[in-house]
Amino acid sequence: MFRRLQTLLQRKFKIVLFFLLLLALLLHMGLDLVLTAAPSSCKCTPKGASPVGLPPPSPLVSVTKKLSLRILQDFSGSNGSLETGSPSVEGRPRTNGGSKAVLRDQNSTHQWAGRKPAWSGRSKMAALFEHPLYKIPIPEMTEKDKLFSVNSKEKFTVKSSGSNEWVSSSKAEMVLPTGKTPYDTYPTWLRFHISINRYELYPRQDTITRILLEELATQKIIGSVQKPGGTQLKLIMSFPNYGEALFKPMKQTRDQETPADFFYFSDFERHNAEIAAFHLDRILDFRRIPPVSGRLVNITKEIRDITSDKKLARTFFISPASNICFFGECSYYCSTEHALCGKPDQLEGSMAAFLPEKELAKRHSWRSPWRRSYHKSKKAEWELNQNYCAQVRKTPPYDSGSRLLDLIDMTVLDFLMGNMDRHHYETFEKFGNNTFLLHLDNGRGFGRHSHDEMSILAPLQQCCSIKKSTYLRLQLLSTEPYRLSDVMRESLASDRLSPVLAEPHLKALDRRLQRVLDMVQGCMAKGGQKEVLVDDIGNPWIYCWWGEGDSLEGK
C-alpha cells in the first residue's frame, strides 16, 4: 500500500513540474512579443538637421543613408576583426574615462552618440575601420606622388652563392615559372617601401603591414650592432632578406610611472611606448609611424654571439643574479648601473621597421615651432607669448598648405600619449611641402598616466584650428561603440608582448581625448565652427552613410 502511494505521488509531481515549465515558456514568448511591438524610445534628430553645418540631404540621399548604414552594420557584424588573432573585447570591463559630459556647440553635436551598432559586443576595431570616416579616399596618384618608380621587370632573387642581389630584366622573365610576377619576389620590407606615397606611409587596409609586423616579431636575426648617436641605447637588427629593424630594449616595467621630478629630456625611452604609438597612430588614421612590433630577444644568441660591434661586445657581463647584461655606449643610461639584463637572457623590446635609406629617399628634418627649450629653467617663446601662432602662420611653410594642420594632428597624437619630446619632425624631400609628417621617435610617450600635460596642446590652443576629418574621428572615438581605450586594447592584443599598456594608460586615453574635444569646443565658442574646423574632406558622398537616427546629442 505504501509503495503504491509513493508511485502515485511521483507521477503527480512530474505532471505538475511539466505544467510549470510549459507555463514559464508561454510567459517568456509573450514577453518577447510585447517588447518587440513596443515603440522605440530613441530620440532622433529632426529631418532638417544636418551634421557639422552641412545642408540637409535630399529625400533620395536619406534613403541611401539608411540602406548604406544597414549594409555597414550587417557587414561589420559578420566580419569579426580586421586583425588576425585580435581577440574580442567582449566580457572585458568598459572604461568611461572618468570625464563628465560637456556642453557642445549646437551646430556640432555628436553624430554617433546614440547609435547602437549590430556589432555590439564584437570587434570594435573592425567596426571602426569600416566606418565611412575611415573610407575617405586619397587623391588620385601620379608617378610623381610615389616615393619610388619601380621597374616591374626587376626581380629579387637568391643566387646559389647565398647572396641576395637584384637581377636585371635581361636575366629574368616577366612572369616567373610559378605564375607569380617579379613583384611577388620582393621581400616584405621592400614592398612597404614601394607603397609609400605623398599622402600616406602605408595604406589603410593592406596585408603588407600585417605581414611585416609578424616578420619583425619572428624573423631570424643574423646581425646586431649599436645605432650610432642618440641619447639612449638602440640596436640595429639585420635579417636574412637584407631587411633591418631598430630595436629598443625594455628599460622599465609597464606599471612604472615616470617620476614627477624627471625632466622630459632625461626620461627613459620605453619600448612599449613605441609599440603603442604605432597602434594609436593607425587608429587615428594618421598612418605616419612605421610599423612597430614587440619581440622577446635572446641576448646571448641574438645579440652577443653575433654582434660585429666591438664597443658593444665589451659591455656584456653576467650579473650577481646570473643574468646576461649589457649597457652599450650612449649619452644617457649607458652604464653598469643602468645595464639591460635578461632573465636570464630573454629581454623584451620593440622592433621598428626602417624607412628607406636616405641616399635613396632623402628626408628633410624640420625644427618644430613649438619645440621646448630643453633647459631646466629657461622657457621657449611659445610659452611666454599667447599670440605666438599668428607669428607662425606668417612663416613658411606654415603660411600655406596643410603643414600647420598636420603639425596640430601630431600635437593631438603626442597629447594622447603624453609625449613632450617632439623637438623635430621629418618629411620626404621628393614631395616638397605638400605631404604628411613622419611621427618618429615616440619612446618617451606613455610615461605618466596620472597627469595630462596640457602644454603639449599649445599649437591647438593658440591656433584654434584643426582638420575636420581629425575632429570627427576624435568625436567618433569618444563614443561607446568605438571607445578609444577599447579599440586600443583590442589592437594591442595582437602584439606578441601583450598586454603592451597597463590599464591606467588606456583609461587615460579616454580622459585626454575628451580634453582635446573640450578645447576644440572652446575654440568654436569663441571663433565659430567654420573658422576652427578646416574642411579637408571634400567628398560629399561620405555623409550619405549617416541615417536620421544618428543624432549627435551628448553621450
Coordinates of all heavy atoms in Angstrom, one line a residue, residues 297-365:
V297 N 63.8 38.9 -27.2 CA 65.1 38.7 -27.8 C 66.0 37.9 -26.9 O 66.0 38.2 -25.6 CB 65.7 40.0 -28.2 CG1 67.2 39.8 -28.6 CG2 65.0 40.7 -29.4
N298 N 66.7 37.0 -27.4 CA 67.7 36.2 -26.6 C 69.0 37.0 -26.7 O 69.7 37.1 -27.7 CB 67.9 34.8 -27.2 CG 68.8 34.0 -26.3 OD1 69.9 34.3 -26.1 ND2 68.3 32.8 -25.9
I299 N 69.4 37.6 -25.6 CA 70.6 38.5 -25.5 C 71.8 37.7 -25.9 O 72.7 38.2 -26.6 CB 70.8 39.1 -24.1 CG1 69.6 39.9 -23.7 CG2 72.1 39.8 -24.0 CD1 69.7 40.5 -22.3
T300 N 71.9 36.5 -25.6 CA 73.1 35.7 -25.9 C 73.2 35.3 -27.4 O 74.2 35.7 -28.0 CB 73.1 34.4 -25.0 OG1 73.0 34.7 -23.7 CG2 74.4 33.6 -25.3
K301 N 72.2 34.7 -27.9 CA 72.2 34.2 -29.3 C 72.0 35.2 -30.3 O 72.5 35.1 -31.4 CB 71.2 33.0 -29.4 CG 71.5 31.8 -28.6 CD 70.5 30.7 -28.8 CE 70.8 29.5 -27.9 NZ 69.7 28.4 -28.1
E302 N 71.1 36.2 -30.0 CA 70.7 37.2 -31.0 C 71.3 38.6 -30.9 O 71.1 39.4 -31.7 CB 69.2 37.3 -30.9 CG 68.4 36.0 -31.3 CD 66.9 36.2 -31.2 OE1 66.4 36.6 -30.2 OE2 66.3 35.8 -32.2
I303 N 72.2 38.7 -29.9 CA 73.0 40.0 -29.8 C 74.5 39.7 -29.5 O 75.3 40.0 -30.4 CB 72.4 40.9 -28.6 CG1 70.9 41.2 -28.9 CG2 73.2 42.2 -28.5 CD1 70.3 42.1 -27.8
R304 N 74.8 39.1 -28.4 CA 76.2 39.0 -28.0 C 77.0 38.1 -29.0 O 78.1 38.5 -29.4 CB 76.3 38.4 -26.6 CG 77.7 38.4 -26.0 CD 77.8 37.6 -24.7 NE 77.6 36.2 -25.0 CZ 77.6 35.2 -24.1 NH1 77.8 35.6 -22.8 NH2 77.4 34.0 -24.4
D305 N 76.4 36.9 -29.3 CA 77.2 36.0 -30.1 C 77.3 36.4 -31.6 O 78.2 35.8 -32.3 CB 76.5 34.6 -30.0 CG 76.7 34.0 -28.6 OD1 77.4 34.6 -27.8 OD2 76.0 33.0 -28.3
I306 N 76.5 37.3 -32.1 CA 76.5 37.6 -33.5 C 76.9 39.0 -33.8 O 77.0 39.4 -34.9 CB 75.1 37.3 -34.1 CG1 74.1 38.2 -33.5 CG2 74.7 35.9 -34.0 CD1 72.7 38.1 -34.2
T307 N 77.2 39.8 -32.7 CA 77.5 41.2 -33.0 C 78.9 41.4 -33.6 O 79.8 40.7 -33.2 CB 77.3 42.1 -31.7 OG1 77.5 43.4 -32.0 CG2 78.4 41.7 -30.7
S308 N 79.0 42.3 -34.5 CA 80.3 42.7 -35.0 C 80.8 44.0 -34.5 O 81.8 44.6 -34.9 CB 80.2 42.8 -36.5 OG 79.2 43.7 -36.9
D309 N 80.0 44.6 -33.5 CA 80.3 45.8 -32.9 C 81.2 45.6 -31.6 O 80.7 45.1 -30.6 CB 79.0 46.5 -32.5 CG 79.2 47.9 -32.0 OD1 80.2 48.3 -31.5 OD2 78.2 48.7 -32.1
K310 N 82.5 45.9 -31.8 CA 83.4 45.6 -30.7 C 83.1 46.4 -29.4 O 83.3 46.0 -28.3 CB 84.8 45.8 -31.2 CG 85.3 44.9 -32.3 CD 86.7 45.1 -32.7 CE 87.1 44.1 -33.8 NZ 88.5 44.4 -34.2
K311 N 82.7 47.7 -29.6 CA 82.4 48.5 -28.5 C 81.2 48.0 -27.7 O 81.2 48.0 -26.5 CB 82.1 50.0 -28.9 CG 83.3 50.7 -29.5 CD 82.9 52.1 -29.9 CE 84.2 52.9 -30.4 NZ 83.8 54.3 -30.8
L312 N 80.2 47.5 -28.4 CA 79.0 46.9 -27.8 C 79.4 45.6 -27.0 O 79.0 45.4 -25.9 CB 77.9 46.6 -28.8 CG 76.7 45.9 -28.3 CD1 75.9 46.8 -27.3 CD2 75.8 45.6 -29.5
A313 N 80.3 44.8 -27.7 CA 80.7 43.5 -27.1 C 81.4 43.6 -25.8 O 81.3 42.8 -24.9 CB 81.5 42.7 -28.1
R314 N 82.1 44.7 -25.6 CA 82.9 44.9 -24.4 C 82.0 45.3 -23.2 O 82.5 45.2 -22.1 CB 83.9 46.1 -24.6 CG 85.1 45.7 -25.4 CD 86.2 46.7 -25.2 NE 85.9 48.0 -25.8 CZ 86.2 48.5 -27.0 NH1 86.9 47.7 -27.8 NH2 85.9 49.7 -27.4
T315 N 80.7 45.5 -23.4 CA 79.8 46.0 -22.3 C 79.0 44.8 -21.8 O 78.2 45.0 -20.9 CB 78.9 47.1 -22.8 OG1 78.0 46.6 -23.7 CG2 79.7 48.3 -23.3
F316 N 79.2 43.6 -22.3 CA 78.4 42.5 -21.8 C 79.0 41.9 -20.5 O 80.3 41.9 -20.3 CB 78.4 41.3 -22.8 CG 77.4 41.6 -23.9 CD1 77.8 42.3 -25.0 CD2 76.1 41.1 -23.8 CE1 76.9 42.6 -26.1 CE2 75.2 41.4 -24.9 CZ 75.6 42.1 -26.0
F317 N 78.2 41.5 -19.5 CA 78.7 40.9 -18.3 C 77.6 40.0 -17.7 O 76.4 40.1 -18.1 CB 79.2 41.9 -17.3 CG 78.1 42.9 -16.8 CD1 77.4 42.6 -15.6 CD2 77.8 44.0 -17.5 CE1 76.4 43.4 -15.2 CE2 76.8 44.9 -17.1 CZ 76.1 44.6 -15.9
I318 N 78.0 39.2 -16.7 CA 77.0 38.4 -16.0 C 76.8 39.0 -14.6 O 77.7 39.2 -13.9 CB 77.5 36.9 -15.9 CG1 77.7 36.3 -17.3 CG2 76.5 36.1 -15.1 CD1 78.2 34.9 -17.2
S319 N 75.5 39.2 -14.3 CA 75.2 39.9 -13.0 C 75.3 38.9 -11.9 O 75.4 37.7 -12.1 CB 73.8 40.5 -13.1 OG 72.8 39.4 -13.0
P320 N 75.3 39.5 -10.6 CA 75.3 38.6 -9.4 C 74.1 37.6 -9.4 O 74.2 36.5 -8.8 CB 75.2 39.5 -8.3 CG 75.8 40.8 -8.8 CD 75.4 40.9 -10.2
A321 N 73.0 38.0 -10.1 CA 71.9 37.1 -10.2 C 72.0 36.0 -11.3 O 71.0 35.4 -11.7 CB 70.6 37.9 -10.3
S322 N 73.2 36.0 -12.0 CA 73.4 35.1 -13.1 C 72.6 35.4 -14.3 O 72.3 34.5 -15.1 CB 73.2 33.6 -12.6 OG 74.0 33.3 -11.6
N323 N 72.3 36.7 -14.5 CA 71.6 37.1 -15.7 C 72.6 37.8 -16.7 O 73.6 38.4 -16.3 CB 70.5 38.1 -15.4 CG 69.4 37.5 -14.6 OD1 69.0 36.4 -14.9 ND2 68.8 38.3 -13.7
I324 N 72.4 37.6 -18.0 CA 73.2 38.3 -19.0 C 72.8 39.7 -19.1 O 71.6 40.0 -19.3 CB 73.1 37.6 -20.4 CG1 73.3 36.0 -20.2 CG2 74.0 38.2 -21.4 CD1 74.7 35.7 -19.8
C325 N 73.8 40.6 -19.0 CA 73.5 42.1 -19.1 C 74.5 42.8 -20.1 O 75.6 42.2 -20.4 CB 73.7 42.7 -17.7 SG 72.7 41.9 -16.4
F326 N 74.1 43.9 -20.5 CA 74.9 44.8 -21.3 C 74.4 46.2 -21.2 O 73.3 46.5 -20.8 CB 75.0 44.3 -22.8 CG 73.7 44.5 -23.5 CD1 73.5 45.5 -24.5 CD2 72.6 43.7 -23.3 CE1 72.4 45.7 -25.2 CE2 71.4 43.8 -24.0 CZ 71.3 44.9 -24.9
F327 N 75.2 47.2 -21.6 CA 74.8 48.6 -21.5 C 75.2 49.5 -22.7 O 74.7 50.6 -22.8 CB 75.3 49.2 -20.2 CG 76.8 49.1 -19.9 CD1 77.7 50.0 -20.4 CD2 77.3 48.1 -19.1 CE1 79.0 49.9 -20.2 CE2 78.6 47.9 -18.9 CZ 79.5 48.8 -19.4
G328 N 76.1 49.1 -23.5 CA 76.5 49.9 -24.7 C 77.1 51.2 -24.4 O 77.6 51.4 -23.2
E329 N 77.1 52.1 -25.4 CA 77.6 53.5 -25.2 C 76.6 54.5 -25.7 O 76.2 54.4 -26.9 CB 79.0 53.6 -26.0 CG 80.1 52.8 -25.4 CD 81.4 53.0 -26.1 OE1 81.4 53.8 -27.0 OE2 82.4 52.4 -25.7
C330 N 76.3 55.5 -24.9 CA 75.3 56.5 -25.3 C 75.4 57.6 -24.3 O 76.1 57.6 -23.3 CB 73.9 56.0 -25.4 SG 73.3 55.3 -23.8
S331 N 74.6 58.7 -24.5 CA 74.7 59.9 -23.6 C 74.0 59.7 -22.3 O 74.4 60.2 -21.3 CB 74.0 61.1 -24.4 OG 74.6 61.3 -25.6
Y332 N 72.9 58.9 -22.3 CA 72.1 58.7 -21.0 C 72.0 57.2 -20.8 O 71.8 56.4 -21.7 CB 70.7 59.3 -21.1 CG 70.7 60.8 -21.1 CD1 70.5 61.5 -22.4 CD2 70.7 61.6 -20.0 CE1 70.5 62.8 -22.4 CE2 70.7 62.9 -20.0 CZ 70.5 63.6 -21.2 OH 70.5 64.9 -21.3
Y333 N 72.0 56.8 -19.5 CA 71.7 55.5 -19.1 C 72.5 54.4 -19.7 O 72.0 53.3 -20.0 CB 70.2 55.2 -19.3 CG 69.3 56.3 -18.7 CD1 68.4 57.0 -19.5 CD2 69.4 56.6 -17.3 CE1 67.6 58.0 -18.9 CE2 68.6 57.6 -16.8 CZ 67.7 58.3 -17.6 OH 66.9 59.3 -17.0
C334 N 73.7 54.6 -20.1 CA 74.6 53.6 -20.6 C 75.8 53.4 -19.7 O 76.9 53.9 -19.8 CB 75.1 53.9 -22.0 SG 73.9 53.7 -23.3
S335 N 75.5 52.6 -18.6 CA 76.5 52.4 -17.6 C 76.1 51.1 -16.8 O 75.0 50.6 -17.0 CB 76.5 53.5 -16.6 OG 75.3 53.7 -15.9
T336 N 77.0 50.6 -16.0 CA 76.7 49.4 -15.3 C 75.5 49.5 -14.4 O 74.7 48.6 -14.2 CB 77.9 49.0 -14.4 OG1 79.1 49.0 -15.2 CG2 77.7 47.6 -13.8
E337 N 75.3 50.8 -13.9 CA 74.1 51.0 -13.0 C 72.8 50.9 -13.8 O 71.7 50.7 -13.2 CB 74.2 52.3 -12.3 CG 75.4 52.5 -11.3 CD 76.7 52.6 -12.0 OE1 76.7 53.0 -13.2 OE2 77.8 52.4 -11.3
H338 N 72.8 51.2 -15.1 CA 71.6 51.2 -15.9 C 71.7 50.1 -16.9 O 71.2 50.2 -18.0 CB 71.4 52.5 -16.6 CG 71.3 53.7 -15.6 ND1 72.3 54.5 -15.3 CD2 70.2 54.1 -14.9 CE1 71.8 55.4 -14.4 NE2 70.6 55.2 -14.2
A339 N 72.4 49.0 -16.6 CA 72.5 47.9 -17.6 C 71.2 47.2 -17.9 O 70.2 47.3 -17.1 CB 73.5 46.8 -17.0
L340 N 71.1 46.7 -19.1 CA 69.9 45.9 -19.5 C 70.2 44.5 -19.3 O 71.1 43.9 -19.9 CB 69.6 46.2 -21.0 CG 69.5 47.7 -21.3 CD1 69.6 48.0 -22.8 CD2 68.2 48.2 -20.8
C341 N 69.3 43.8 -18.5 CA 69.6 42.4 -18.1 C 68.4 41.5 -18.6 O 67.2 41.9 -18.5 CB 69.8 42.3 -16.6 SG 71.2 43.2 -16.0
G342 N 68.8 40.3 -19.0 CA 67.7 39.3 -19.4 C 67.3 38.5 -18.1 O 67.8 38.7 -17.0
K343 N 66.5 37.6 -18.4 CA 66.0 36.7 -17.3 C 66.0 35.2 -17.8 O 65.0 34.7 -18.3 CB 64.6 37.0 -16.9 CG 64.5 38.4 -16.2 CD 63.1 38.6 -15.7 CE 63.0 40.0 -15.2 NZ 63.0 40.2 -13.7
P344 N 67.1 34.5 -17.9 CA 68.5 35.0 -17.6 C 69.0 35.7 -18.8 O 69.9 36.6 -18.7 CB 69.2 33.7 -17.3 CG 68.5 32.7 -18.1 CD 67.1 33.0 -18.1
D345 N 68.5 35.4 -20.1 CA 69.0 36.1 -21.2 C 67.9 36.5 -22.2 O 68.1 36.9 -23.3 CB 70.0 35.2 -22.0 CG 69.5 33.9 -22.4 OD1 68.3 33.6 -22.1 OD2 70.3 33.1 -22.9
Q346 N 66.6 36.5 -21.7 CA 65.4 36.9 -22.5 C 65.1 38.3 -22.2 O 64.9 38.7 -21.0 CB 64.2 36.0 -22.2 CG 64.4 34.5 -22.5 CD 64.6 34.3 -24.0 OE1 63.8 34.7 -24.8 NE2 65.7 33.6 -24.4
L347 N 65.0 39.2 -23.2 CA 64.8 40.6 -23.0 C 63.7 41.1 -23.9 O 63.8 40.9 -25.2 CB 66.1 41.4 -23.2 CG 66.0 42.9 -23.1 CD1 65.7 43.3 -21.6 CD2 67.3 43.6 -23.5
E348 N 62.7 41.8 -23.4 CA 61.7 42.4 -24.3 C 62.3 43.6 -25.0 O 63.2 44.3 -24.5 CB 60.5 42.9 -23.4 CG 59.6 41.8 -23.0 CD 58.3 42.4 -22.3 OE1 58.0 43.6 -22.5 OE2 57.7 41.6 -21.6
G349 N 61.6 44.0 -26.1 CA 62.0 45.2 -26.8 C 61.0 45.4 -28.0 O 60.2 44.6 -28.3
S350 N 61.1 46.6 -28.6 CA 60.3 47.0 -29.7 C 61.2 46.9 -31.0 O 62.4 47.2 -31.0 CB 59.8 48.4 -29.6 OG 60.8 49.3 -29.6
M351 N 60.6 46.4 -32.1 CA 61.3 46.2 -33.4 C 60.5 47.1 -34.3 O 59.4 46.8 -34.7 CB 61.3 44.8 -33.8 CG 62.0 43.8 -32.9 SD 63.8 43.9 -33.1 CE 64.0 42.9 -34.5
A352 N 61.2 48.2 -34.8 CA 60.6 49.2 -35.7 C 61.1 49.0 -37.1 O 62.4 48.9 -37.3 CB 60.8 50.6 -35.2
A353 N 60.2 48.9 -38.1 CA 60.7 48.8 -39.5 C 61.4 50.1 -39.9 O 61.0 51.2 -39.5 CB 59.5 48.6 -40.4
F354 N 62.5 49.9 -40.6 CA 63.3 51.0 -41.1 C 62.6 51.7 -42.3 O 61.9 51.0 -43.1 CB 64.7 50.6 -41.5 CG 65.7 50.7 -40.4 CD1 66.3 49.6 -39.8 CD2 66.1 52.0 -40.0 CE1 67.2 49.7 -38.8 CE2 67.0 52.1 -39.0 CZ 67.6 51.0 -38.4
L355 N 62.8 53.0 -42.4 CA 62.4 53.7 -43.6 C 63.4 53.5 -44.7 O 64.6 53.1 -44.4 CB 62.2 55.2 -43.3 CG 61.0 55.5 -42.4 CD1 61.0 57.0 -42.0 CD2 59.7 55.2 -43.1
P356 N 63.2 53.8 -46.0 CA 64.2 53.7 -47.0 C 65.5 54.5 -46.6 O 65.4 55.5 -46.0 CB 63.5 54.3 -48.2 CG 62.1 54.1 -48.0 CD 61.9 54.3 -46.5
E357 N 66.6 54.0 -47.1 CA 67.9 54.7 -46.8 C 67.8 56.2 -47.4 O 67.2 56.4 -48.4 CB 69.0 54.0 -47.6 CG 69.3 52.6 -47.0 CD 70.0 52.7 -45.7 OE1 70.6 53.8 -45.3 OE2 70.0 51.7 -44.9
K358 N 68.4 57.1 -46.6 CA 68.3 58.5 -47.0 C 69.0 58.8 -48.3 O 68.7 59.7 -49.0 CB 68.9 59.4 -45.9 CG 68.1 59.4 -44.6 CD 68.6 60.4 -43.6 CE 67.7 60.4 -42.4 NZ 68.2 61.4 -41.4
E359 N 69.9 57.9 -48.7 CA 70.6 58.0 -50.0 C 69.6 57.8 -51.2 O 69.7 58.3 -52.3 CB 71.8 57.1 -50.2 CG 73.0 57.4 -49.3 CD 72.8 57.1 -47.8 OE1 71.8 56.3 -47.6 OE2 73.6 57.5 -47.0
L360 N 68.6 56.9 -50.9 CA 67.6 56.6 -51.9 C 66.4 57.5 -51.8 O 65.8 57.8 -52.8 CB 67.1 55.1 -51.7 CG 68.2 54.1 -51.9 CD1 67.6 52.7 -51.6 CD2 68.8 54.1 -53.3
A361 N 66.0 57.9 -50.6 CA 64.8 58.7 -50.4 C 65.2 59.8 -49.3 O 65.1 59.5 -48.1 CB 63.6 57.9 -50.0
K362 N 65.7 60.9 -49.7 CA 66.1 61.9 -48.8 C 65.0 62.5 -48.0 O 63.9 62.6 -48.5 CB 66.8 63.1 -49.6 CG 68.1 62.7 -50.2 CD 68.7 63.9 -50.9 CE 70.1 63.5 -51.6 NZ 70.7 64.7 -52.3
R363 N 65.3 62.7 -46.7 CA 64.3 63.3 -45.8 C 64.8 64.6 -45.3 O 66.0 64.8 -45.1 CB 64.0 62.3 -44.6 CG 63.5 61.0 -45.1 CD 62.9 60.2 -43.9 NE 63.7 60.0 -42.8 CZ 64.4 58.9 -42.6 NH1 64.5 58.0 -43.5 NH2 65.2 58.7 -41.5
H364 N 63.8 65.5 -45.1 CA 64.2 66.9 -44.6 C 63.7 66.9 -43.1 O 62.6 66.5 -42.8 CB 63.4 68.0 -45.4 CG 63.9 69.3 -45.0 ND1 64.9 70.0 -45.6 CD2 63.4 70.2 -44.0 CE1 65.1 71.2 -45.1 NE2 64.2 71.3 -44.1
S365 N 64.6 67.4 -42.2 CA 64.3 67.5 -40.8 C 63.9 68.9 -40.5 O 64.6 69.9 -40.9 CB 65.6 67.1 -40.0 OG 65.3 67.2 -38.6

